[in-house]
Amino acid sequence: MSIRHVRTTRRAGAAALLAAALTLSLAACGGQDGKGQEKENSSSASTPGKEQPTKSDEGKTYPDTSTVLATFKGEKSLEMVIYEAKRDSGGFLTITGEFKNTGGADYSTPVQWNGPEQEVAMTGSSLAAMILTDSKGKKRYYVLRDTDNRPLTTTKYSSPIKAGGSLPFFAQFPSPPNTTTEVGLTFPGFTTGTIEIS
């Protein structure tokens, strides 16, 4: 093969490669005539005045902390802050909140948080002892369990809660009737009080 033929082949290959790269670049930029950019900006914009949920280092979504429904005082320097009590279309009520250790010493979570049921306690640490009370309907609502008796709450959390630290949590219950707008919340070691349902 002659040197001239090799040069021609190389030039043709380089031209083909350049054309392919240019085609891909144009395809990637297609639709960016101002409309595409505007749509992207509008979809990523957050609602004014509403804080977006934050994420932990492990990628778990924390509750929206922009609104506090109630704060319950606990033992020593522990507080239970409730951020949301929300019904969903499946007939459930989900409570989200955070345990805050405002003191200067670590707080070891007590075994009473797991609740009195032996089968549930055997599944590990949980918040199965949390109870909601509908005083008007005269009913109590307990944390839901799955088919293996695991409670539908935050489970297997690390203890103790470090000084100045917090433990975000959730707990899921059967939803009270729509006519019930607030429920009482009881949890071992904390004051009792009411929270509004949304």
Side-chain angles (χ1 to χ4, degrees):
M1 187 181 292
S2 69
I3 295 176
R4 177 184 284 175
H5 184 67
V6 170
R7 285 182 185 164
T8 306
T9 305
R10 284 184 183 167
R11 285 184 191 153
L17 186 61
L18 183 62
L22 189 57
T23 303
L24 285 174
S25 297
L26 289 173
C29 294
Q32 293 295 331
D33 55 355
K35 294 177 185 174
Q37 187 68 32
E38 184 179 337
K39 183 184 276 186
E40 184 182 354
N41 289 342
S42 63
S43 64
S44 63
S46 60
T47 307
K50 187 169 182 181
E51 193 174 305
Q52 297 297 314
T54 56
K55 291 196 173 181
S56 71
D57 295 337
E58 298 165 358
K60 296 177 183 175
T61 302
Y62 279 19
D64 178 2
T65 59
S66 60
T67 303
V68 174
L69 294 182
T71 301
F72 300 91
K73 297 290 183 184
E75 301 169 328
K76 300 179 181 175
S77 55
L78 200 66
E79 294 180 347
M80 178 172 54
V81 182
I82 306 297
Y83 297 121
E84 191 174 55
K86 189 174 183 179
R87 290 184 175 94
D88 65 24
S89 56
F92 306 119
L93 174 67
T94 303
I95 308 291
T96 56
E98 195 171 15
F99 294 105
K100 290 185 175 182
N101 183 358
T102 60
D106 294 354
Y107 179 85
S108 295
T109 57
V111 70
Q112 287 85 358
W113 286 14
N114 302 334
E117 295 178 50
Q118 188 68 26
E119 291 180 352
V120 174
M122 287 170 60
T123 64
S125 56
S126 72
L127 309 177
M130 194 174 290
I131 299 170
L132 300 181
T133 306
D134 177 4
S135 56
K136 289 184 179 178
K138 300 187 181 201
K139 286 187 178 180
R140 282 186 172 185
Y141 297 91
Y142 298 90
V143 171
L144 291 168
R145 277 76 162 150
D146 67 12
T147 53
D148 295 321
N149 272 326
R150 289 186 298 248
L152 300 183
T153 74
T154 299
T155 58
K156 298 179 181 176
Y157 43 80
S158 47
S159 179
I161 301 173
K162 300 291 185 186
S166 63
L167 169 65
F169 72 88
F170 83 96
Q172 200 167 49
F173 300 85
S175 180
N178 289 335
T179 52
T180 301
T181 57
E182 64 177 27
V183 289
L185 189 148
T186 306
F187 193 61
F190 289 87
T191 57
T192 57
T194 58
I195 53 175
E196 292 182 8
I197 303 173
S198 58

